[in-house]
Amino acid sequence: MSVALLSVDPIANALRAAPKASPELLQARALLRRTDTKFVTDVARIPAVLERVGGAYAALWVPGGPIATYRSLYFDSPDLRCFHDHRRSRRLRHKARVRHYPDRGQTFFEVKSKRNDLVTTKHRIEVPYGVERPTEAVLEFLREQLGNLACDLVPTAY
């Protein structure tokens, strides 16, 4: 389940002032191979940070505005191999999930692979909105991405 922000209005207002990502930028980037950097800060500081980065970044808008919502169901092996690989910071680790994007009416089965400390690669296959059970096409996709691990996956956590 997505994390709810305690005070969305100041953040949404700051994002509304940011340049919007163009369709060309979105198509070119697709966010499937990226380097993620995460920070922890007080929510009250976010508008100032967004103002300071100015035109260096663009905001991705969804039909509901600048803040997207999503819901995820994670899959893992019965012995929680994916979770333990993450906890142990294994160089090659995977995360398998189905992610629903209500703002866009889309659902994807996704496999995120982390091969080193910086680069995360995401592969995904779209399914009808709301589907959570893997179809035969999804199972084939999971086998292509995860090999034998795909056979062991069960729904584990929302």
Side-chain angles (χ1 to χ4, degrees):
M1 190 60 88
S2 61
V3 176
L5 297 173
L6 297 177
S7 177
V8 174
D9 290 340
I11 297 166
N13 289 336
L15 287 170
R16 282 185 181 91
K20 291 183 185 173
S22 69
E24 296 79 22
L25 175 62
L26 294 175
Q27 184 65 31
R29 301 286 307 210
L31 303 177
L32 298 179
R33 182 177 165 90
R34 63 183 186 252
T35 302
D36 292 331
T37 305
K38 298 175 182 172
F39 301 93
V40 176
T41 188
D42 185 336
V43 165
R45 293 179 181 215
I46 293 175
V49 170
L50 292 173
E51 183 178 321
R52 199 161 173 209
V53 297
Y57 293 89
L60 171 62
W61 280 63
V62 295
I67 297 181
T69 58
Y70 58 86
R71 186 173 55 86
S72 299
L73 171 61
Y74 291 87
F75 293 81
D76 206 338
S77 62
D79 64 352
L80 302 178
R81 177 178 161 189
C82 297
F83 168 74
H84 290 299
D85 284 353
H86 173 78
R87 188 178 56 78
R88 293 181 192 122
S89 297
R90 289 203 43 174
R91 284 280 193 216
L92 176 57
R93 60 186 185 262
H94 305 285
K95 183 185 299 181
R97 68 184 176 208
V98 59
R99 181 160 276 180
H100 307 284
Y101 298 91
D103 300 323
R104 293 176 259 167
Q106 291 181 298
T107 295
F108 294 92
F109 273 83
E110 301 177 342
V111 174
K112 288 177 69 175
S113 300
K114 191 150 190 157
R115 293 186 180 350
N116 61 42
D117 291 336
L118 298 176
V119 178
T120 299
T121 304
K122 181 166 58 172
H123 298 276
R124 64 187 187 176
I125 183 172
E126 189 168 6
V127 296
Y129 181 68
V131 168
E132 290 190 339
R133 290 186 149 199
T135 63
E136 191 54 45
V138 169
L139 291 172
E140 179 61 29
F141 163 76
L142 292 171
R143 285 190 288 270
E144 288 172 9
Q145 300 304 316
L146 301 170
N148 291 336
L149 176 60
C151 299
D152 296 333
L153 294 179
V154 294
T156 306
Y158 277 98

